[in-house]
Every structure is written in C-alpha cells, then in structure tokens.
Amino acid sequence: MPLLALAMALFGATAVVVGPTGSARASLSASYQGEFLSYLAVDLVVGLIVATCARRASIVAVAGSLIVQLLVISGFSHGDNLTVNVVIALLATAAACMGGLLSRERREHALALRSQEVAEAVIAERLRIARELHDMVAHSIGIIAIQAGAASQVIRTRPTEAGEALRAIEVTSRETLSGLRRTLVALRQADPGAAASGNGAALAPSPGLADLDRLVAATADAGVRVDVRRSGEERALPADVDLSAFRIVQEALTNVVRHAGTGRCRVLIDYGDEEVSVEIVDDGRGANGNGADHGLGLGLGLGLVGMRERVALLYGDFSAGPRPEGGFRVTARLPLPEPAGVPVEAR
C-alpha cells in the first residue's frame, strides 16, 4: 500500500516540522536543514512509488508530496530562507523521481531482455524440432520408397509379398502423416540455415525411449545414477511422441548433472492407454530464494522453455517446480492420438 505509506510519512514529517521543536527553530529563523531531514523519508517513499507503481499513482504521489512540503515551507520560512528551502525541496523530490525512473527503466529493460531470450529459445527449440521432424519424415519416406519398389517388382509374380509391402507402406505413411499433422500445425518459423547446413544424416532414425538405457549410461558416467522405472504396457510409440519424451528426459538429466548437486535421480515412465507420462525427480538443491533454480528446471532458465514447447506442440501437459521435501520435479504428459502400435518386449 505505497500511497498509504506516503500519507503516513508525510503526516509524520509534517508533525516533526510543525511541532513545538520545529516551531521554536522556525521562530529563531533557523535553517531548513532539520525540516529537510524530516522529509527525507517522504522523498524515499516517493522514489519507491515512481519505481514500482503506475504512472497515475506516481503523479499523485509526487504532486501531493510537493504540495505538502511547499505549504509547510511557506508557513515556516521567510525571506532568503524561503527561496533556499523551496529549491532544496524541489531538488530532493527531483532526485527521488530520477532515482525511481532509473530503477523502473532498468527493471523494464531486464524484463524485455528476458522476454527476448525466452522468445529466441522457443524459436530455437521449434527449429530443432523441425530438423528432427525432417529426419523422421525422411526416414519414413525412405522406407516407403523401398517397400514401393519391392512391391512393384513382385506384384505379378508374388502378390502375397506385394500385399505385405503395401500394408507396410500404409502403416508407415499413416504414422508419418499423423506426426506431421500434430507438429507442423504449430511450427511457424523457418530455419535460415537449414538449406546451407548440408545435413547428411537425413535418413538416420530419430532417438526415442528405446535409447533411454544409452542415455542412462552416459549420465552415470557423468556422476549421476539414474533409477528408471516403467509402468503400464511398454510398447512402440508414435515417432513424434517418442522423440519428445526422450528429449524431455535428456534435457532434465542434463540439468541434474550440471546444476542439481546430487548423485542420483529417478525417471518414471508410465505407458497409459491414451497418453504416455514421464517424470524426472531429483533430491538436489532445488530452488534458492532469489528465483534461480539449481535443479532440473533452472528456474527461469531456457531448459524449461524447450521442454514446455515440445509438450505444447503435442497438446500435452507440462509442470516443473521444486518439491516440498526438497529437490526438483519435471512432469510431462503426452497424449496418444491413436493406438500406439504393437507391443514390444518390456525391459
């Protein structure tokens, strides 16, 4: 309640000036030094209001403070002291306003830079998803081309094998189109360096949860033991869902290694009928008091931005934050738009 605080400060400072001690000093034609010191608290509150409140509230605070101070000065100063005291009051108020404006501009500039960093992180993550989607689609189209070539060769002599090839083409094309439909609708940015990158690994399969053991081994080599637990019917997932789940776990484990300050963490994967959920939990330092996390999410860091963007592109749910018992938790739920595929052997 800054305006109430200003009113109380003005009342207190004015009481000091017009009280018996202040009146005695004024009657002896003393300088304004004592009265000015009593209004220093008022000027500090004015500066705080200018720095943190809306423009209208700031104007009201500055005008009200000046009016009260000038009225008191005109009542207790005469001659040259009146001019000096008015100049001191104006300079003190101007200094408080300039300090408040400077603080406001620095804060707004920091917020603008932060918003720009987040926007750039979202664009970078979308470009990364677009490149991975290109790899996934190129891999699927390669399979379709091979199967189509095989079917055209044996369609007259071995129609059974040709039919199997055509069914494989149908399954692969449906999965690819489903992934494109869910992902490309949300991608609006173009990668200016994609054409010049000359990526030679376009036909390489994208990673997924099947590669989690390799990721766990690499994390263990970095000094963090990962306890992986799976529930539900483990099975093949749509390529885009599988890739996003893997990338979320990968980013979270990377942040544990770099920032959590712990030697272990836990990864939970739940294969549901309509969604797959991943949860990464550590018992590290979690979040400190200044808003910067040392755990999975890095607080306002950009790791969370990429995870959240991946989940949003698949219309899922994402949450991250410190745990009450200590440490940090990242949770992502990715919906499955259609039956995920045939069961695979559980590990």
PDB file of all heavy atoms in Angstrom, residues 140-160:
ATOM      1  N   SER A 140      11.006 -42.183 -42.848  1.00  0.00           N
ATOM      2  CA  SER A 140       9.767 -42.884 -43.200  1.00  0.00           C
ATOM      3  C   SER A 140       9.571 -42.935 -44.707  1.00  0.00           C
ATOM      4  O   SER A 140       9.179 -43.971 -45.265  1.00  0.00           O
ATOM      5  CB  SER A 140       8.570 -42.192 -42.537  1.00  0.00           C
ATOM      6  OG  SER A 140       8.704 -42.195 -41.130  1.00  0.00           O
ATOM      7  N   ILE A 141       9.842 -41.822 -45.394  1.00  0.00           N
ATOM      8  CA  ILE A 141       9.692 -41.808 -46.848  1.00  0.00           C
ATOM      9  C   ILE A 141      10.680 -42.777 -47.501  1.00  0.00           C
ATOM     10  O   ILE A 141      10.378 -43.420 -48.510  1.00  0.00           O
ATOM     11  CB  ILE A 141       9.886 -40.377 -47.387  1.00  0.00           C
ATOM     12  CG1 ILE A 141       8.769 -39.465 -46.862  1.00  0.00           C
ATOM     13  CG2 ILE A 141       9.895 -40.372 -48.903  1.00  0.00           C
ATOM     14  CD1 ILE A 141       7.381 -39.901 -47.252  1.00  0.00           C
ATOM     15  N   GLY A 142      11.873 -42.885 -46.918  1.00  0.00           N
ATOM     16  CA  GLY A 142      12.825 -43.864 -47.449  1.00  0.00           C
ATOM     17  C   GLY A 142      12.297 -45.279 -47.353  1.00  0.00           C
ATOM     18  O   GLY A 142      12.436 -46.079 -48.288  1.00  0.00           O
ATOM     19  N   ILE A 143      11.666 -45.592 -46.205  1.00  0.00           N
ATOM     20  CA  ILE A 143      11.074 -46.932 -46.050  1.00  0.00           C
ATOM     21  C   ILE A 143       9.955 -47.138 -47.067  1.00  0.00           C
ATOM     22  O   ILE A 143       9.848 -48.197 -47.699  1.00  0.00           O
ATOM     23  CB  ILE A 143      10.554 -47.102 -44.620  1.00  0.00           C
ATOM     24  CG1 ILE A 143      11.725 -47.113 -43.631  1.00  0.00           C
ATOM     25  CG2 ILE A 143       9.746 -48.388 -44.494  1.00  0.00           C
ATOM     26  CD1 ILE A 143      11.295 -47.192 -42.186  1.00  0.00           C
ATOM     27  N   ILE A 144       9.100 -46.105 -47.226  1.00  0.00           N
ATOM     28  CA  ILE A 144       8.001 -46.223 -48.185  1.00  0.00           C
ATOM     29  C   ILE A 144       8.535 -46.446 -49.593  1.00  0.00           C
ATOM     30  O   ILE A 144       8.005 -47.272 -50.363  1.00  0.00           O
ATOM     31  CB  ILE A 144       7.113 -44.960 -48.117  1.00  0.00           C
ATOM     32  CG1 ILE A 144       6.380 -44.913 -46.773  1.00  0.00           C
ATOM     33  CG2 ILE A 144       6.127 -44.916 -49.278  1.00  0.00           C
ATOM     34  CD1 ILE A 144       5.603 -43.630 -46.555  1.00  0.00           C
ATOM     35  N   ALA A 145       9.590 -45.711 -49.967  1.00  0.00           N
ATOM     36  CA  ALA A 145      10.152 -45.870 -51.310  1.00  0.00           C
ATOM     37  C   ALA A 145      10.698 -47.277 -51.522  1.00  0.00           C
ATOM     38  O   ALA A 145      10.505 -47.889 -52.588  1.00  0.00           O
ATOM     39  CB  ALA A 145      11.250 -44.827 -51.520  1.00  0.00           C
ATOM     40  N   ILE A 146      11.371 -47.813 -50.507  1.00  0.00           N
ATOM     41  CA  ILE A 146      11.919 -49.170 -50.636  1.00  0.00           C
ATOM     42  C   ILE A 146      10.796 -50.190 -50.767  1.00  0.00           C
ATOM     43  O   ILE A 146      10.836 -51.091 -51.628  1.00  0.00           O
ATOM     44  CB  ILE A 146      12.816 -49.475 -49.423  1.00  0.00           C
ATOM     45  CG1 ILE A 146      14.070 -48.582 -49.455  1.00  0.00           C
ATOM     46  CG2 ILE A 146      13.214 -50.951 -49.411  1.00  0.00           C
ATOM     47  CD1 ILE A 146      14.918 -48.705 -48.215  1.00  0.00           C
ATOM     48  N   GLN A 147       9.767 -50.065 -49.913  1.00  0.00           N
ATOM     49  CA  GLN A 147       8.655 -51.008 -49.969  1.00  0.00           C
ATOM     50  C   GLN A 147       7.890 -50.893 -51.286  1.00  0.00           C
ATOM     51  O   GLN A 147       7.442 -51.899 -51.860  1.00  0.00           O
ATOM     52  CB  GLN A 147       7.709 -50.760 -48.795  1.00  0.00           C
ATOM     53  CG  GLN A 147       8.317 -51.024 -47.424  1.00  0.00           C
ATOM     54  CD  GLN A 147       8.506 -52.511 -47.159  1.00  0.00           C
ATOM     55  OE1 GLN A 147       8.089 -53.361 -47.935  1.00  0.00           O
ATOM     56  NE2 GLN A 147       9.151 -52.818 -46.041  1.00  0.00           N
ATOM     57  N   ALA A 148       7.708 -49.675 -51.773  1.00  0.00           N
ATOM     58  CA  ALA A 148       7.012 -49.500 -53.045  1.00  0.00           C
ATOM     59  C   ALA A 148       7.797 -50.119 -54.194  1.00  0.00           C
ATOM     60  O   ALA A 148       7.218 -50.750 -55.100  1.00  0.00           O
ATOM     61  CB  ALA A 148       6.770 -48.013 -53.301  1.00  0.00           C
ATOM     62  N   GLY A 149       9.119 -49.959 -54.185  1.00  0.00           N
ATOM     63  CA  GLY A 149       9.930 -50.585 -55.213  1.00  0.00           C
ATOM     64  C   GLY A 149       9.850 -52.094 -55.171  1.00  0.00           C
ATOM     65  O   GLY A 149       9.757 -52.758 -56.220  1.00  0.00           O
ATOM     66  N   ALA A 150       9.876 -52.637 -53.932  1.00  0.00           N
ATOM     67  CA  ALA A 150       9.770 -54.090 -53.818  1.00  0.00           C
ATOM     68  C   ALA A 150       8.415 -54.587 -54.285  1.00  0.00           C
ATOM     69  O   ALA A 150       8.309 -55.622 -54.966  1.00  0.00           O
ATOM     70  CB  ALA A 150      10.021 -54.504 -52.365  1.00  0.00           C
ATOM     71  N   ALA A 151       7.345 -53.854 -53.959  1.00  0.00           N
ATOM     72  CA  ALA A 151       6.005 -54.278 -54.379  1.00  0.00           C
ATOM     73  C   ALA A 151       5.857 -54.239 -55.892  1.00  0.00           C
ATOM     74  O   ALA A 151       5.230 -55.119 -56.498  1.00  0.00           O
ATOM     75  CB  ALA A 151       4.951 -53.390 -53.721  1.00  0.00           C
ATOM     76  N   SER A 152       6.416 -53.218 -56.519  1.00  0.00           N
ATOM     77  CA  SER A 152       6.299 -53.140 -57.973  1.00  0.00           C
ATOM     78  C   SER A 152       7.040 -54.261 -58.683  1.00  0.00           C
ATOM     79  O   SER A 152       6.671 -54.644 -59.801  1.00  0.00           O
ATOM     80  CB  SER A 152       6.836 -51.781 -58.444  1.00  0.00           C
ATOM     81  OG  SER A 152       8.234 -51.695 -58.209  1.00  0.00           O
ATOM     82  N   GLN A 153       8.063 -54.798 -58.048  1.00  0.00           N
ATOM     83  CA  GLN A 153       8.826 -55.875 -58.665  1.00  0.00           C
ATOM     84  C   GLN A 153       8.116 -57.217 -58.584  1.00  0.00           C
ATOM     85  O   GLN A 153       8.256 -58.054 -59.479  1.00  0.00           O
ATOM     86  CB  GLN A 153      10.210 -55.975 -57.997  1.00  0.00           C
ATOM     87  CG  GLN A 153      11.107 -54.769 -58.207  1.00  0.00           C
ATOM     88  CD  GLN A 153      11.551 -54.620 -59.653  1.00  0.00           C
ATOM     89  OE1 GLN A 153      11.704 -55.607 -60.376  1.00  0.00           O
ATOM     90  NE2 GLN A 153      11.736 -53.374 -60.081  1.00  0.00           N
ATOM     91  N   VAL A 154       7.344 -57.451 -57.512  1.00  0.00           N
ATOM     92  CA  VAL A 154       6.774 -58.783 -57.284  1.00  0.00           C
ATOM     93  C   VAL A 154       5.253 -58.793 -57.344  1.00  0.00           C
ATOM     94  O   VAL A 154       4.640 -59.803 -57.002  1.00  0.00           O
ATOM     95  CB  VAL A 154       7.236 -59.334 -55.915  1.00  0.00           C
ATOM     96  CG1 VAL A 154       8.744 -59.431 -55.841  1.00  0.00           C
ATOM     97  CG2 VAL A 154       6.704 -58.458 -54.778  1.00  0.00           C
ATOM     98  N   ILE A 155       4.623 -57.683 -57.760  1.00  0.00           N
ATOM     99  CA  ILE A 155       3.169 -57.607 -57.702  1.00  0.00           C
ATOM    100  C   ILE A 155       2.503 -58.641 -58.609  1.00  0.00           C
ATOM    101  O   ILE A 155       1.401 -59.116 -58.331  1.00  0.00           O
ATOM    102  CB  ILE A 155       2.698 -56.177 -58.048  1.00  0.00           C
ATOM    103  CG1 ILE A 155       1.216 -56.034 -57.741  1.00  0.00           C
ATOM    104  CG2 ILE A 155       3.028 -55.828 -59.486  1.00  0.00           C
ATOM    105  CD1 ILE A 155       0.717 -54.616 -57.823  1.00  0.00           C
ATOM    106  N   ARG A 156       3.161 -59.053 -59.713  1.00  0.00           N
ATOM    107  CA  ARG A 156       2.570 -60.032 -60.621  1.00  0.00           C
ATOM    108  C   ARG A 156       2.964 -61.460 -60.253  1.00  0.00           C
ATOM    109  O   ARG A 156       2.139 -62.380 -60.348  1.00  0.00           O
ATOM    110  CB  ARG A 156       2.981 -59.723 -62.059  1.00  0.00           C
ATOM    111  CG  ARG A 156       2.455 -58.393 -62.576  1.00  0.00           C
ATOM    112  CD  ARG A 156       2.842 -58.191 -64.030  1.00  0.00           C
ATOM    113  NE  ARG A 156       2.364 -56.897 -64.535  1.00  0.00           N
ATOM    114  CZ  ARG A 156       1.142 -56.696 -65.029  1.00  0.00           C
ATOM    115  NH1 ARG A 156       0.281 -57.691 -65.067  1.00  0.00           N
ATOM    116  NH2 ARG A 156       0.791 -55.502 -65.464  1.00  0.00           N
ATOM    117  N   THR A 157       4.197 -61.631 -59.824  1.00  0.00           N
ATOM    118  CA  THR A 157       4.664 -62.990 -59.557  1.00  0.00           C
ATOM    119  C   THR A 157       4.388 -63.450 -58.131  1.00  0.00           C
ATOM    120  O   THR A 157       4.111 -64.624 -57.891  1.00  0.00           O
ATOM    121  CB  THR A 157       6.178 -63.077 -59.837  1.00  0.00           C
ATOM    122  OG1 THR A 157       6.857 -62.138 -58.989  1.00  0.00           O
ATOM    123  CG2 THR A 157       6.475 -62.757 -61.305  1.00  0.00           C
ATOM    124  N   ARG A 158       4.469 -62.538 -57.155  1.00  0.00           N
ATOM    125  CA  ARG A 158       4.251 -62.891 -55.744  1.00  0.00           C
ATOM    126  C   ARG A 158       3.307 -61.867 -55.109  1.00  0.00           C
ATOM    127  O   ARG A 158       3.732 -60.972 -54.390  1.00  0.00           O
ATOM    128  CB  ARG A 158       5.586 -62.952 -55.000  1.00  0.00           C
ATOM    129  CG  ARG A 158       6.441 -64.166 -55.375  1.00  0.00           C
ATOM    130  CD  ARG A 158       7.799 -64.095 -54.701  1.00  0.00           C
ATOM    131  NE  ARG A 158       8.659 -63.089 -55.331  1.00  0.00           N
ATOM    132  CZ  ARG A 158       9.913 -62.840 -54.930  1.00  0.00           C
ATOM    133  NH1 ARG A 158      10.419 -63.505 -53.895  1.00  0.00           N
ATOM    134  NH2 ARG A 158      10.647 -61.931 -55.552  1.00  0.00           N
ATOM    135  N   PRO A 159       2.048 -61.976 -55.381  1.00  0.00           N
ATOM    136  CA  PRO A 159       1.095 -60.969 -54.875  1.00  0.00           C
ATOM    137  C   PRO A 159       1.009 -60.918 -53.357  1.00  0.00           C
ATOM    138  O   PRO A 159       0.698 -59.873 -52.793  1.00  0.00           O
ATOM    139  CB  PRO A 159      -0.231 -61.421 -55.502  1.00  0.00           C
ATOM    140  CG  PRO A 159      -0.040 -62.863 -55.826  1.00  0.00           C
ATOM    141  CD  PRO A 159       1.410 -63.014 -56.189  1.00  0.00           C
ATOM    142  N   THR A 160       1.283 -62.047 -52.663  1.00  0.00           N
ATOM    143  CA  THR A 160       1.242 -62.021 -51.191  1.00  0.00           C
ATOM    144  C   THR A 160       2.305 -61.091 -50.634  1.00  0.00           C
ATOM    145  O   THR A 160       2.042 -60.252 -49.748  1.00  0.00           O
ATOM    146  CB  THR A 160       1.413 -63.432 -50.635  1.00  0.00           C
ATOM    147  OG1 THR A 160       0.390 -64.282 -51.148  1.00  0.00           O
ATOM    148  CG2 THR A 160       1.329 -63.408 -49.107  1.00  0.00           C
TER     149      THR A 160
END
